[in-house]
Amino acid sequence: MKKLLLFVLTSLFVGGALFAQTNESGKVKNEGNAAWRAKNYKEAFTKWEQYLKLIEFKDDATVYNVAVCATKLKDYANAEKNFQIALEKDPNLTDALSNIGRIYYNQGVNKLSEANMINDSKKYQEELGMAKDLFKKALPYYKKAHEAEPEKMDNMIALRGIYYNLNMGPELEAIEAEMNK
């Protein structure tokens, strides 16, 4: 009888602890959701990351949302990390593919703008090289996203910009022809 009572009490304690953790994780997620709605992206990012750790990253949608939130904060390292986690869970998640591509593409555009402001030829070439490296990093993500969703214009526009900036004439002509169909 004592063993049965001990088993029941232990079960209630463990069950209660698990239920409390579920309540805690739900509370943290809801706080992140509220912060997102209030456009407090830093707080949303913090709360959602805390939530994901509590549930061992088992909420795919929130992993993706953390990546989007990090992008809004211009925290590109965390954005890429979480988009990659989302891709590990679903390799065909085209939005994650294009968002990683967008991170590199936008950084390439910014680097190119910075390069265009430089008068010194050597420094200009260095900055231009860094911009091109970023476009090269963006390319495989946009290509894969385009293969999965060939009609999506945003991906074609980005590919056109990448091909143009990397002097990829035949690819540029092909994507422009596809865009004009």
Side-chain angles (χ1 to χ4, degrees):
M1 181 70 172
K2 285 183 182 181
K3 288 183 182 181
L4 178 62
L5 181 60
L6 182 60
F7 174 75
V8 169
L9 288 175
T10 303
S11 297
L12 288 173
F13 175 75
V14 170
L18 290 174
F19 181 72
Q21 183 178 3
T22 302
N23 282 344
E24 175 65 20
S25 64
K27 178 180 176 253
V28 172
K29 181 180 182 182
N30 288 337
E31 289 170 353
N33 293 345
W36 175 266
R37 284 190 299 277
K39 297 187 185 329
N40 183 349
Y41 302 121
K42 185 174 173 79
E43 180 71 13
F45 177 84
T46 301
K47 291 296 182 179
W48 284 340
E49 266 212 329
Q50 183 182 356
Y51 162 71
L52 288 171
K53 287 175 185 169
L54 287 171
I55 64 158
E56 298 175 355
F57 290 82
K58 292 182 180 167
D59 181 342
D60 298 353
T62 301
V63 170
Y64 180 83
N65 290 341
V66 167
V68 172
C69 197
T71 302
K72 287 189 174 287
L73 294 169
K74 296 184 175 138
D75 181 354
Y76 300 123
N78 271 314
E80 182 182 2
K81 177 185 90 173
N82 284 287
F83 282 131
Q84 290 289 3
I85 291 169
L87 282 171
E88 287 170 16
K89 294 173 177 286
D90 182 359
N92 297 314
L93 187 59
T94 57
D95 285 344
L97 289 166
S98 60
N99 279 316
I100 294 172
R102 187 171 299 110
I103 289 168
Y104 290 125
Y105 181 81
N106 288 344
Q107 289 177 333
V109 168
N110 291 337
K111 188 58 77 175
L112 188 58
S113 293
E114 291 171 15
N116 287 332
M117 301 302 291
I118 297 172
N119 292 328
D120 181 276
S121 181
K122 184 179 178 188
K123 288 181 183 177
Y124 168 77
Q125 291 299 325
E126 289 172 4
E127 292 292 311
L128 182 62
M130 286 188 252
K132 287 186 177 198
D133 287 344
L134 290 162
F135 290 128
K136 287 175 187 173
K137 285 183 176 181
L139 183 58
Y141 294 103
Y142 273 118
K143 278 178 127 175
K144 190 168 182 183
H146 179 60
E147 288 169 7
E149 293 183 319
E151 72 289 343
K152 191 168 184 181
M153 190 58 71
D154 287 348
N155 293 336
M156 287 190 273
I157 291 169
L159 283 169
R160 179 180 62 189
I162 292 168
Y163 294 149
Y164 175 82
N165 283 294
L166 294 178
N167 301 316
M168 299 173 72
E171 292 86 349
L172 177 59
E173 288 177 16
I175 201 72
E176 285 182 335
E178 200 173 328
M179 292 171 73
N180 292 323
K181 284 183 184 176

